[in-house]
Amino acid sequence: MKKSKYLKLDRVEFITTYHCTGRCKHCSIGSRLNQPGPHHVPVEKSIEAVRWLKANYPITSLMTFGGEPLLYPEVVCALHSTARDCGIPERSVITNGYFSKNPERIRQTAQNLLDAGVNDILLSVDAFHQETIPLEPVLIFAQYVAQTAPGVLKLSPAWVVNAAHQDVWNERTRDILAQFAELSLPISQGNDIFMAGNAIKNLSQFYPAPCLDLSETCGSLPYTEPLEQIRSISIEPDGSVKACALSIGNLLEDSMDTIVSGYDPYADERSRALLTGGARTLLELAQKKQLPVDLTKCWSVCDLCAQINQAYHKS
């Protein structure tokens, strides 16, 4: 296999589905939820991809999320049992915990996750999720995991600005977390809402006005990495393989070997502009090609990149 020199992979993520039981006002995916299209990632192709990646890269982490991944627990379990059997040590799920109202099914699904080797569950509970998601089924799920496999489940609330910020949403989130107190569950840190998707429409009043810094470069923001040093790839329900926001292939069309070996961010004019000149050069490319860019919705170079990628797909 010819490896791309731009990939330093140690993590693979699966956006298991874009279907969801919530309608959250902060959701970064926003309008992509519950649309017609594939219900979940292609299972067999995804399993093949996991095996191939582990055989060729030092993959230490696999995560499944969505949407709500536990709408398709058999898919999640298949991916995680494959990861376990391949020797991938960190096997994580992000879930809102609401996929059924039936207590027995909730407990059985939780047990199936544990049997499949899931060893890290991030449970999204906060004012946004509980605005449309009932708390009782989520508590049943949390209680079962906490009692059956202590240490596996953490609460993962989303905070407006940060956990210390004082606002009605964060106050309500603290009240909701209090209802889990008897379980003594740890609370993950740093899940702070950023301006994307539904958050732009519903929460922008809590954030500074957009002001794009044209000196920003690819990978300069927290939780990002430059396209020439990609450590994590994600796989979407339609089989698309992405390095950050850039689609680099599709599992339904090519093998992971072909997709990975062909990855060259300098071969694409968008990522080349971003890597060679940052936000300024990327914006110049968009203007040259007369692509629509709304700078009033650009808080960062990542927002600019996302808008241009979307415009490319429409053109």
Side-chain angles (χ1 to χ4, degrees):
M1 181 202 73
K2 179 184 176 183
K3 288 188 178 182
S4 169
K5 65 180 180 179
Y6 304 110
L7 294 176
K8 319 292 183 184
L9 300 178
D10 62 13
R11 177 179 173 87
V12 57
E13 299 177 345
F14 288 89
I15 304 173
T16 312
T17 181
Y18 279 129
H19 292 269
C20 194
T21 51
R23 303 291 184 275
C24 297
K25 287 190 169 113
H26 74 307
C27 182
S28 61
I29 297 172
S31 61
R32 299 185 69 179
L33 291 179
N34 301 315
Q35 297 298 313
H39 284 188
H40 56 70
V41 292
V43 182
E44 293 304 321
K45 292 291 185 181
S46 296
I47 288 173
E48 290 175 12
V50 172
R51 289 173 177 159
W52 186 91
L53 286 166
K54 179 56 181 172
N56 290 278
Y57 287 91
I59 303 297
T60 60
S61 175
L62 181 145
M63 174 177 278
T64 53
F65 56 102
E68 175 43 54
L70 297 186
L71 288 173
Y72 304 98
E74 67 285 354
V75 175
V76 174
C77 289
L79 292 171
H80 283 284
S81 61
T82 300
R84 176 200 59 204
D85 295 346
C86 289
I88 298 174
E90 298 176 16
R91 303 177 294 273
S92 305
V93 175
I94 300 178
T95 174
N96 65 33
Y98 181 49
F99 48 90
S100 173
K101 293 181 179 179
N102 184 317
E104 184 54 38
R105 185 184 171 200
I106 293 169
R107 297 185 185 99
Q108 185 60 60
T109 298
Q111 185 61 56
N112 290 345
L113 291 176
L114 299 174
D115 291 344
V118 172
N119 55 19
D120 180 42
I121 298 175
L122 295 172
L123 184 61
S124 301
V125 287
D126 48 53
F128 301 100
H129 287 87
Q130 266 53 67
E131 189 175 32
T132 57
I133 290 173
L135 195 59
E136 183 179 358
V138 180
L139 278 167
I140 292 172
F141 178 79
Q143 288 165 350
Y144 185 88
V145 177
Q147 293 166 4
T148 307
V152 168
L153 188 142
K154 304 184 197 68
L155 302 180
S156 183
W159 300 102
V160 175
V161 183
N162 55 52
H165 191 262
Q166 297 299 315
D167 60 80
V168 293
W169 292 101
N170 286 356
E171 182 179 350
R172 174 62 179 145
T173 291
R174 295 184 190 98
D175 290 341
I176 291 167
L177 293 176
Q179 297 186 62
F180 290 82
E182 66 178 24
L183 298 178
S184 300
L185 294 167
I187 300 175
S188 66
Q189 303 298 314
N191 188 14
D192 301 333
I193 296 167
F194 57 90
M195 288 291 95
N198 289 348
I200 294 174
K201 297 182 292 184
N202 299 308
L203 301 170
S204 58
Q205 69 269 32
F206 298 108
Y207 292 80
C211 184
L212 177 62
D213 181 353
L214 291 177
S215 69
E216 287 182 353
T217 58
C218 185
S220 64
L221 297 179
Y223 313 114
T224 67
E225 53 199 20
L227 288 169
E228 59 187 354
Q229 298 179 40
I230 291 293
R231 295 178 54 246
S232 174
I233 57 174
S234 61
I235 298 170
E236 299 199 334
D238 66 355
S240 295
V241 180
K242 288 193 171 182
C244 196
L246 182 67
S247 181
I248 64 173
N250 192 295
L251 291 180
L252 298 179
E253 300 170 2
D254 292 301
S255 67
M256 185 59 79
D257 188 346
T258 300
I259 293 169
V260 164
S261 62
Y263 176 64
D264 179 359
Y266 288 96
D268 183 282
E269 62 180 345
R270 293 163 292 173
S271 51
R272 182 169 64 249
L274 184 58
L275 287 168
T276 56
R280 188 182 307 279
T281 304
L282 183 59
L283 181 58
E284 290 171 355
L285 173 66
Q287 292 169 339
K288 179 181 177 181
K289 298 184 74 67
Q290 297 183 322
L291 296 173
V293 174
D294 185 354
L295 292 180
T296 68
K297 294 183 179 178
C298 287
W299 278 261
S300 71
V301 64
C302 293
D303 298 322
L304 176 64
C305 184
Q307 279 197 40
I308 291 174
N309 284 336
Q310 186 176 33
Y312 259 72
H313 292 313
K314 290 182 178 180
S315 62

